[in-house]
Amino acid sequence: MRFKAQIHNIQTFTKLTASLNSLGPLAWLKLSDEQVCFTIIPEQGTQVWAVLSIDTIFDTYAVQSAANNVINLEVPLGPLNRALKSALNATSAQMRLTKKDSIPLLALTISTTSSNNSYSAFPAGANRDDNAIFDDHFGGNRETIITQEVPIRVLAPDVVSGLHEPQTREPDVHIVLPPLMQLKSISDRFTKLAMAGARAGSGTATTRTRLEMAANMHGCLKMSLKTDAMSISSVWTDLVNPELDPSQVANGDIGIVEHPSTRMKLLGSADGQSDEGWASVSIDGKDWGKVMSVGRLGGRVIACFCHEHALILYVYLPTDSGEDESVLTYYISSYSA
Amino acid sequence: MEEEDELPLLTAVSSSARQLYLLLRCINFAEKAHVQINDGGLQFSVDEASVMEGSAFLSKDLFTTYTFRAPAPSQREINDSDDEDAPLEPDLPTFQISLPALLETLQIFGLTDPSTSKPHWARDAPASTATGGAFTNNVLGMNNMCRIAYASPGSPLSIVLTEASIRTTCNLTTYEPTFANEIPFDRQALAFKTIMRGTWLYDAVAELSSTSPEKLTLWARTRARKPYFALSSSGTLGSARVEFNNTPVTRAPPPTNNAGTVDAGAPQVNLLETFQLSDPTTPFRASYKFSLIQRAARTMSVATKVSVRVDEQGVLSLQFMIEVEPGKVSFVDFRFVPLVEDDEDVEETQFLGGEEESDESVMEDEDEL
């Protein structure tokens, strides 16, 4: 069993592990010839199934195992994220699977160019690229190698064979979400409001904040919250409902005609004022805030609403090549109404 | 009646939720606020254990549209005056709402504001946000629309905020007012009145707060036709005093026995704009709970001017003038019930004795000049 790879995009990898870590401490990492998969299945809350193309985070990449060159690992996300953080200034970073005293490890070898003392007289805050140039000019650089070891667990194929991506019915509404950071800032306000309302309320305070998310097929997204003291809702309009690709839908064109979203198109209006045509889910405010933290990766997000059932987010990470996009899939199940 | 019910009692549109937020934030020390709607605007008031009251008046000048349809003209004549001090009319719409919820709503777009991406030093300086610096949203026209509506008695107070393609609607549950009597303040019988800059009062209170005192005492008197005003604090850790003198002082008076003295403000400027004592012959003093006065600190820091008034009963009224944008002023009022003085004699001799001495020496110097 061998795995060795050069990390090509440390920033993205760090942000990815940080946002995954907010949902659960352990991830199932599946390394294969074609892709890298991160899966987080917490006790409760949102599941993430991330499928990354290799070139999203790795450069030279080699994986070998007896089981069709697939390696399954259980990785603690916190330590992995901390290890990656120390690689942020690195000139190069390499990750490989190794063993130390019969404990399997992911070893992260980071080489950085640190500078000598004369250099520290320059004001801080200068751009890192500038620093590198300065170093080259003044010859004050010195290479440092840091090795971070993250203890992991190797999972046997039959352990992971029972794990399957959740099956959901065809969504009623699919919509491109506004920038997640904007959505997060408003949903965080909502959570705060719920707490303010709970304090004012007479002892009936609920610790959970139930956010109501809804969307229609006319470019509207609605987020609402109700407490004793108030009810609040924000409506986004002019969003995009992407067209379904007949080749991706069961039964092709007929499938699209019979698709629930086609029926939903007939209901509701583009100004978001109508009460009809909304597919809504009821989710936990805090959990939603954690999911939104993936916004720092800056991808395109499509939300699929299965009315009163589940909300599925597809986060498409931007890639250099433009081909085989990496996608993170979030399964958020709805509270029963 | 039925026809009237279809039209909302109040519709008000403001082009800046931020202005409303800045004013209402001043009185953010209670869970519930009383709201009273009249022809001149919206009055928000909060109260703390009936010993302190704060009220912010959102005058109709703050709104681009302000339509108030007075309910049931049969009941009584509606007070027509724009004066924010107009006596409470019982038939004007009055209700309670959750103040923290309202404040959170008003700044719902705050985080997506481009201004918050600025470095920390470039925003939220208390002085510049109130008056509006060159790069605030008001000037750049980035402000968001805010519409307030109140349909009929018992219906929620609805606030609609719009920014770009996002529309937020908040319906605040309205509660029956709790008929707490407001603290009586007799402005016909004032014992003392002075007007000064809000920030000076803020600096003085901030300075005194360092010893975490329990009590704040106001001192005022006229000596040789010159006004003298001081704030002193006392608590378990000691006492301190800040003096305001209208006359040029060349040096700070020597510290008195147990009081650290802080000289406030530039000597050339007249610190006190107005200074009135009902009885100039006797020194005036009144004490208040320090922690309550401190609740008004945020308001002091943003106010252009403050009028400090005490009536014959000792009730303190702090009226703050806040410039939300150049040329547009709003008022925030606070009222405090005085502390009952029991150890009066001991302190009087200590303070006035020491103070007299130091004062005298300064006066003498000046007389010679």
Side-chain angles (χ1 to χ4, degrees), chain A residues 282-327:
Chain A
S282 171
I283 56 175
D284 182 69
K286 276 196 192 130
D287 191 48
W288 176 250
K290 289 175 188 170
V291 171
M292 289 294 97
S293 68
V294 76
R296 65 188 115 177
L297 286 165
R300 198 162 61 99
V301 187
I302 295 178
C304 291
F305 285 78
C306 301
H307 186 57
E308 289 178 351
H309 178 61
L311 173 62
I312 305 134
L313 298 188
Y314 297 96
V315 180
Y316 296 91
L317 297 185
T319 47
D320 301 338
S321 57
E323 292 165 36
D324 35 44
E325 279 187 316
S326 303
V327 61

Tab-separated table of all heavy atoms in Angstrom, chain A residues 282-327:
chain	number	residue	atom	x	y	z
A	282	SER	N	-36.874	22.568	6.622
A	282	SER	CA	-36.650	23.177	7.922
A	282	SER	C	-35.345	22.615	8.474
A	282	SER	O	-35.218	21.408	8.645
A	282	SER	CB	-37.829	22.815	8.818
A	282	SER	OG	-37.589	23.201	10.118
A	283	ILE	N	-34.370	23.484	8.679
A	283	ILE	CA	-33.041	22.988	9.048
A	283	ILE	C	-32.528	23.686	10.300
A	283	ILE	O	-33.060	24.713	10.714
A	283	ILE	CB	-32.034	23.187	7.888
A	283	ILE	CG1	-32.003	24.656	7.476
A	283	ILE	CG2	-32.394	22.302	6.706
A	283	ILE	CD1	-30.966	24.970	6.449
A	284	ASP	N	-31.478	23.139	10.862
A	284	ASP	CA	-30.891	23.712	12.070
A	284	ASP	C	-29.992	24.889	11.691
A	284	ASP	O	-29.127	24.769	10.824
A	284	ASP	CB	-30.078	22.637	12.793
A	284	ASP	CG	-29.476	23.158	14.081
A	284	ASP	OD1	-30.252	23.421	15.004
A	284	ASP	OD2	-28.252	23.324	14.140
A	285	GLY	N	-30.215	26.022	12.373
A	285	GLY	CA	-29.489	27.246	12.030
A	285	GLY	C	-27.989	27.121	12.186
A	285	GLY	O	-27.218	27.572	11.349
A	286	LYS	N	-27.565	26.493	13.282
A	286	LYS	CA	-26.124	26.371	13.547
A	286	LYS	C	-25.468	25.457	12.515
A	286	LYS	O	-24.390	25.740	12.010
A	286	LYS	CB	-25.901	25.806	14.940
A	286	LYS	CG	-25.955	26.868	16.001
A	286	LYS	CD	-25.357	26.356	17.298
A	286	LYS	CE	-25.676	27.327	18.420
A	286	LYS	NZ	-26.231	26.651	19.587
A	287	ASP	N	-26.141	24.360	12.226
A	287	ASP	CA	-25.625	23.411	11.254
A	287	ASP	C	-25.479	24.092	9.895
A	287	ASP	O	-24.468	23.938	9.205
A	287	ASP	CB	-26.595	22.222	11.175
A	287	ASP	CG	-26.011	21.064	10.395
A	287	ASP	OD1	-24.860	20.716	10.672
A	287	ASP	OD2	-26.706	20.538	9.512
A	288	TRP	N	-26.456	24.886	9.549
A	288	TRP	CA	-26.452	25.613	8.286
A	288	TRP	C	-25.249	26.562	8.231
A	288	TRP	O	-24.570	26.662	7.208
A	288	TRP	CB	-27.766	26.366	8.133
A	288	TRP	CG	-27.855	27.230	6.912
A	288	TRP	CD1	-27.857	28.590	6.884
A	288	TRP	CD2	-27.971	26.802	5.547
A	288	TRP	NE1	-27.963	29.025	5.587
A	288	TRP	CE2	-28.028	27.962	4.752
A	288	TRP	CE3	-28.022	25.552	4.933
A	288	TRP	CZ2	-28.145	27.909	3.369
A	288	TRP	CZ3	-28.127	25.499	3.546
A	288	TRP	CH2	-28.192	26.668	2.781
A	289	GLY	N	-25.003	27.229	9.353
A	289	GLY	CA	-23.857	28.131	9.427
A	289	GLY	C	-22.553	27.401	9.136
A	289	GLY	O	-21.665	27.921	8.462
A	290	LYS	N	-22.449	26.157	9.644
A	290	LYS	CA	-21.238	25.360	9.416
A	290	LYS	C	-21.115	24.975	7.945
A	290	LYS	O	-20.038	25.001	7.373
A	290	LYS	CB	-21.278	24.086	10.260
A	290	LYS	CG	-21.104	24.333	11.742
A	290	LYS	CD	-21.287	23.028	12.473
A	290	LYS	CE	-21.329	23.196	13.968
A	290	LYS	NZ	-21.751	21.940	14.604
A	291	VAL	N	-22.236	24.598	7.361
A	291	VAL	CA	-22.212	24.231	5.948
A	291	VAL	C	-21.759	25.427	5.115
A	291	VAL	O	-20.949	25.298	4.200
A	291	VAL	CB	-23.611	23.754	5.493
A	291	VAL	CG1	-23.651	23.570	3.990
A	291	VAL	CG2	-23.989	22.471	6.201
A	292	MET	N	-22.264	26.618	5.499
A	292	MET	CA	-21.965	27.818	4.730
A	292	MET	C	-20.478	28.159	4.732
A	292	MET	O	-20.006	28.907	3.889
A	292	MET	CB	-22.732	29.018	5.308
A	292	MET	CG	-24.216	28.991	5.080
A	292	MET	SD	-24.683	29.123	3.363
A	292	MET	CE	-24.926	27.425	2.962
A	293	SER	N	-19.748	27.591	5.710
A	293	SER	CA	-18.332	27.936	5.799
A	293	SER	C	-17.556	27.445	4.584
A	293	SER	O	-16.427	27.873	4.356
A	293	SER	CB	-17.726	27.372	7.082
A	293	SER	OG	-17.695	25.963	7.005
A	294	VAL	N	-18.142	26.601	3.772
A	294	VAL	CA	-17.482	26.159	2.545
A	294	VAL	C	-17.412	27.317	1.544
A	294	VAL	O	-16.671	27.268	0.563
A	294	VAL	CB	-18.202	24.932	1.940
A	294	VAL	CG1	-19.481	25.325	1.243
A	294	VAL	CG2	-17.287	24.195	0.971
A	295	GLY	N	-18.153	28.374	1.849
A	295	GLY	CA	-18.170	29.545	0.982
A	295	GLY	C	-16.801	30.146	0.748
A	295	GLY	O	-16.563	30.780	-0.267
A	296	ARG	N	-15.880	29.919	1.698
A	296	ARG	CA	-14.555	30.511	1.540
A	296	ARG	C	-13.778	29.881	0.380
A	296	ARG	O	-12.787	30.416	-0.073
A	296	ARG	CB	-13.768	30.426	2.838
A	296	ARG	CG	-13.446	29.022	3.275
A	296	ARG	CD	-12.851	29.037	4.661
A	296	ARG	NE	-13.752	28.347	5.590
A	296	ARG	CZ	-13.473	28.146	6.862
A	296	ARG	NH1	-12.378	28.625	7.374
A	296	ARG	NH2	-14.296	27.482	7.641
A	297	LEU	N	-14.251	28.727	-0.103
A	297	LEU	CA	-13.612	28.132	-1.268
A	297	LEU	C	-14.073	28.802	-2.560
A	297	LEU	O	-13.476	28.611	-3.610
A	297	LEU	CB	-13.908	26.632	-1.332
A	297	LEU	CG	-13.141	25.784	-0.323
A	297	LEU	CD1	-13.742	24.411	-0.212
A	297	LEU	CD2	-11.690	25.678	-0.718
A	298	GLY	N	-15.157	29.536	-2.449
A	298	GLY	CA	-15.590	30.374	-3.559
A	298	GLY	C	-16.090	29.643	-4.781
A	298	GLY	O	-15.844	30.071	-5.895
A	299	GLY	N	-16.767	28.550	-4.594
A	299	GLY	CA	-17.277	27.835	-5.774
A	299	GLY	C	-18.709	28.217	-6.093
A	299	GLY	O	-19.341	28.993	-5.398
A	300	ARG	N	-19.198	27.647	-7.180
A	300	ARG	CA	-20.585	27.834	-7.571
A	300	ARG	C	-21.417	26.812	-6.798
A	300	ARG	O	-20.988	25.673	-6.632
A	300	ARG	CB	-20.696	27.568	-9.071
A	300	ARG	CG	-21.923	28.095	-9.763
A	300	ARG	CD	-21.636	28.129	-11.257
A	300	ARG	NE	-21.347	26.781	-11.755
A	300	ARG	CZ	-22.259	26.020	-12.381
A	300	ARG	NH1	-23.477	26.452	-12.566
A	300	ARG	NH2	-21.939	24.822	-12.826
A	301	VAL	N	-22.566	27.230	-6.303
A	301	VAL	CA	-23.360	26.322	-5.482
A	301	VAL	C	-24.760	26.175	-6.049
A	301	VAL	O	-25.442	27.166	-6.308
A	301	VAL	CB	-23.469	26.840	-4.026
A	301	VAL	CG1	-24.160	25.800	-3.163
A	301	VAL	CG2	-22.110	27.161	-3.468
A	302	ILE	N	-25.147	24.942	-6.259
A	302	ILE	CA	-26.518	24.673	-6.679
A	302	ILE	C	-27.220	23.955	-5.540
A	302	ILE	O	-26.689	22.981	-4.989
A	302	ILE	CB	-26.565	23.837	-7.977
A	302	ILE	CG1	-25.969	24.663	-9.111
A	302	ILE	CG2	-27.999	23.410	-8.309
A	302	ILE	CD1	-25.908	23.966	-10.424
A	303	ALA	N	-28.376	24.470	-5.170
A	303	ALA	CA	-29.146	23.857	-4.095
A	303	ALA	C	-30.335	23.123	-4.692
A	303	ALA	O	-31.007	23.653	-5.581
A	303	ALA	CB	-29.629	24.925	-3.133
A	304	CYS	N	-30.552	21.903	-4.242
A	304	CYS	CA	-31.712	21.140	-4.681
A	304	CYS	C	-32.639	20.942	-3.498
A	304	CYS	O	-32.235	20.405	-2.465
A	304	CYS	CB	-31.278	19.790	-5.229
A	304	CYS	SG	-30.403	19.953	-6.771
A	305	PHE	N	-33.853	21.411	-3.639
A	305	PHE	CA	-34.824	21.326	-2.559
A	305	PHE	C	-35.783	20.163	-2.820
A	305	PHE	O	-36.446	20.129	-3.863
A	305	PHE	CB	-35.647	22.615	-2.485
A	305	PHE	CG	-34.904	23.781	-1.891
A	305	PHE	CD1	-33.976	24.482	-2.642
A	305	PHE	CD2	-35.144	24.168	-0.583
A	305	PHE	CE1	-33.299	25.563	-2.105
A	305	PHE	CE2	-34.468	25.249	-0.034
A	305	PHE	CZ	-33.544	25.946	-0.790
A	306	CYS	N	-35.841	19.214	-1.899
A	306	CYS	CA	-36.892	18.203	-1.907
A	306	CYS	C	-37.849	18.625	-0.812
A	306	CYS	O	-37.493	18.596	0.365
A	306	CYS	CB	-36.351	16.815	-1.605
A	306	CYS	SG	-35.107	16.292	-2.767
A	307	HIS	N	-39.023	19.048	-1.218
A	307	HIS	CA	-39.958	19.674	-0.297
A	307	HIS	C	-40.165	18.848	0.980
A	307	HIS	O	-40.488	17.672	0.932
A	307	HIS	CB	-41.302	19.892	-1.013
A	307	HIS	CG	-42.284	20.656	-0.198
A	307	HIS	ND1	-42.022	21.912	0.299
A	307	HIS	CD2	-43.532	20.340	0.219
A	307	HIS	CE1	-43.064	22.340	0.985
A	307	HIS	NE2	-43.997	21.402	0.954
A	308	GLU	N	-39.935	19.493	2.115
A	308	GLU	CA	-40.104	18.902	3.454
A	308	GLU	C	-39.336	17.599	3.628
A	308	GLU	O	-39.690	16.763	4.457
A	308	GLU	CB	-41.599	18.687	3.754
A	308	GLU	CG	-42.300	20.017	3.981
A	308	GLU	CD	-43.791	19.871	4.240
A	308	GLU	OE1	-44.303	18.754	4.082
A	308	GLU	OE2	-44.407	20.868	4.609
A	309	HIS	N	-38.283	17.440	2.865
A	309	HIS	CA	-37.545	16.191	2.943
A	309	HIS	C	-36.052	16.451	3.137
A	309	HIS	O	-35.481	16.076	4.168
A	309	HIS	CB	-37.816	15.384	1.668
A	309	HIS	CG	-37.069	14.104	1.597
A	309	HIS	ND1	-37.235	13.100	2.521
A	309	HIS	CD2	-36.134	13.666	0.711
A	309	HIS	CE1	-36.437	12.098	2.211
A	309	HIS	NE2	-35.755	12.411	1.128
A	310	ALA	N	-35.449	17.099	2.188
A	310	ALA	CA	-34.000	17.326	2.288
A	310	ALA	C	-33.573	18.480	1.400
A	310	ALA	O	-34.274	18.878	0.470
A	310	ALA	CB	-33.252	16.068	1.867
A	311	LEU	N	-32.408	18.983	1.750
A	311	LEU	CA	-31.778	20.015	0.939
A	311	LEU	C	-30.405	19.479	0.566
A	311	LEU	O	-29.650	19.032	1.430
A	311	LEU	CB	-31.666	21.314	1.750
A	311	LEU	CG	-30.882	22.469	1.130
A	311	LEU	CD1	-31.525	22.928	-0.160
A	311	LEU	CD2	-30.825	23.643	2.102
A	312	ILE	N	-30.109	19.493	-0.711
A	312	ILE	CA	-28.814	18.990	-1.167
A	312	ILE	C	-28.077	20.134	-1.837
A	312	ILE	O	-28.621	20.805	-2.712
A	312	ILE	CB	-28.984	17.816	-2.161
A	312	ILE	CG1	-29.836	16.730	-1.516
A	312	ILE	CG2	-27.640	17.248	-2.574
A	312	ILE	CD1	-30.904	16.221	-2.418
A	313	LEU	N	-26.862	20.363	-1.371
A	313	LEU	CA	-26.055	21.420	-1.961
A	313	LEU	C	-24.934	20.794	-2.765
A	313	LEU	O	-24.238	19.906	-2.278
A	313	LEU	CB	-25.424	22.307	-0.882
A	313	LEU	CG	-26.307	23.095	0.053
A	313	LEU	CD1	-25.425	24.029	0.880
A	313	LEU	CD2	-27.323	23.910	-0.712
A	314	TYR	N	-24.763	21.257	-3.982
A	314	TYR	CA	-23.619	20.853	-4.792
A	314	TYR	C	-22.689	22.052	-4.898
A	314	TYR	O	-23.072	23.088	-5.444
A	314	TYR	CB	-24.076	20.420	-6.192
A	314	TYR	CG	-24.989	19.212	-6.174
A	314	TYR	CD1	-26.365	19.355	-6.212
A	314	TYR	CD2	-24.456	17.926	-6.099
A	314	TYR	CE1	-27.209	18.250	-6.183
A	314	TYR	CE2	-25.288	16.819	-6.072
A	314	TYR	CZ	-26.661	16.984	-6.114
A	314	TYR	OH	-27.483	15.887	-6.084
A	315	VAL	N	-21.515	21.912	-4.317
A	315	VAL	CA	-20.548	22.997	-4.366
A	315	VAL	C	-19.489	22.623	-5.393
A	315	VAL	O	-18.758	21.652	-5.204
A	315	VAL	CB	-19.904	23.219	-2.977
A	315	VAL	CG1	-18.896	24.352	-3.031
A	315	VAL	CG2	-20.969	23.481	-1.933
A	316	TYR	N	-19.423	23.374	-6.479
A	316	TYR	CA	-18.452	23.089	-7.542
A	316	TYR	C	-17.214	23.927	-7.306
A	316	TYR	O	-17.284	25.156	-7.294
A	316	TYR	CB	-19.053	23.399	-8.915
A	316	TYR	CG	-20.222	22.512	-9.253
A	316	TYR	CD1	-21.522	22.887	-8.940
A	316	TYR	CD2	-20.010	21.280	-9.843
A	316	TYR	CE1	-22.592	22.055	-9.224
A	316	TYR	CE2	-21.070	20.435	-10.129
A	316	TYR	CZ	-22.360	20.832	-9.820
A	316	TYR	OH	-23.415	20.005	-10.099
A	317	LEU	N	-16.097	23.249	-7.101
A	317	LEU	CA	-14.863	23.990	-6.859
A	317	LEU	C	-14.260	24.410	-8.184
A	317	LEU	O	-14.257	23.650	-9.150
A	317	LEU	CB	-13.860	23.120	-6.103
A	317	LEU	CG	-14.277	22.675	-4.713
A	317	LEU	CD1	-13.136	21.938	-4.053
A	317	LEU	CD2	-14.680	23.862	-3.870
A	318	PRO	N	-13.768	25.638	-8.212
A	318	PRO	CA	-13.131	26.081	-9.447
A	318	PRO	C	-11.835	25.296	-9.684
A	318	PRO	O	-11.050	25.083	-8.751
A	318	PRO	CB	-12.843	27.563	-9.194
A	318	PRO	CG	-12.940	27.760	-7.732
A	318	PRO	CD	-13.734	26.641	-7.161
A	319	THR	N	-11.627	24.835	-10.880
A	319	THR	CA	-10.382	24.127	-11.180
A	319	THR	C	-9.613	24.877	-12.251
A	319	THR	O	-10.182	25.683	-12.985
A	319	THR	CB	-10.645	22.694	-11.688
A	319	THR	OG1	-11.660	22.768	-12.685
A	319	THR	CG2	-11.062	21.773	-10.578
A	320	ASP	N	-8.325	24.599	-12.303
A	320	ASP	CA	-7.468	25.281	-13.280
A	320	ASP	C	-7.795	24.821	-14.698
A	320	ASP	O	-7.878	25.607	-15.627
A	320	ASP	CB	-5.987	24.996	-12.982
A	320	ASP	CG	-5.617	25.469	-11.594
A	320	ASP	OD1	-6.335	26.339	-11.065
A	320	ASP	OD2	-4.626	24.970	-11.039
A	321	SER	N	-7.975	23.526	-14.833
A	321	SER	CA	-8.129	22.977	-16.181
A	321	SER	C	-9.510	23.267	-16.759
A	321	SER	O	-9.663	23.352	-17.965
A	321	SER	CB	-7.905	21.461	-16.139
A	321	SER	OG	-8.808	20.875	-15.220
A	322	GLY	N	-10.496	23.422	-15.887
A	322	GLY	CA	-11.854	23.653	-16.372
A	322	GLY	C	-12.581	22.358	-16.640
A	322	GLY	O	-13.795	22.330	-16.753
A	323	GLU	N	-11.837	21.257	-16.770
A	323	GLU	CA	-12.476	19.964	-16.984
A	323	GLU	C	-12.823	19.340	-15.629
A	323	GLU	O	-12.652	19.969	-14.607
A	323	GLU	CB	-11.533	19.029	-17.746
A	323	GLU	CG	-11.302	19.464	-19.168
A	323	GLU	CD	-10.116	18.742	-19.757
A	323	GLU	OE1	-9.940	17.553	-19.427
A	323	GLU	OE2	-9.379	19.365	-20.511
A	324	ASP	N	-13.219	18.096	-15.703
A	324	ASP	CA	-13.758	17.357	-14.562
A	324	ASP	C	-13.709	18.129	-13.237
A	324	ASP	O	-12.760	18.104	-12.509
A	324	ASP	CB	-13.119	15.974	-14.377
A	324	ASP	CG	-11.655	15.948	-14.757
A	324	ASP	OD1	-10.930	16.879	-14.375
A	324	ASP	OD2	-11.249	15.024	-15.453
A	325	GLU	N	-14.792	18.849	-13.017
A	325	GLU	CA	-14.912	19.679	-11.835
A	325	GLU	C	-14.946	18.824	-10.579
A	325	GLU	O	-15.419	17.695	-10.595
A	325	GLU	CB	-16.217	20.465	-11.908
A	325	GLU	CG	-16.135	21.693	-12.777
A	325	GLU	CD	-17.399	22.508	-12.680
A	325	GLU	OE1	-18.484	21.913	-12.720
A	325	GLU	OE2	-17.295	23.728	-12.569
A	326	SER	N	-14.435	19.425	-9.516
A	326	SER	CA	-14.558	18.779	-8.222
A	326	SER	C	-15.857	19.241	-7.611
A	326	SER	O	-16.215	20.413	-7.709
A	326	SER	CB	-13.412	19.205	-7.322
A	326	SER	OG	-12.211	18.883	-7.956
A	327	VAL	N	-16.543	18.319	-6.973
A	327	VAL	CA	-17.829	18.707	-6.397
A	327	VAL	C	-17.972	18.182	-4.978
A	327	VAL	O	-17.592	17.063	-4.670
A	327	VAL	CB	-19.001	18.268	-7.318
A	327	VAL	CG1	-19.037	16.776	-7.487
A	327	VAL	CG2	-20.327	18.747	-6.776
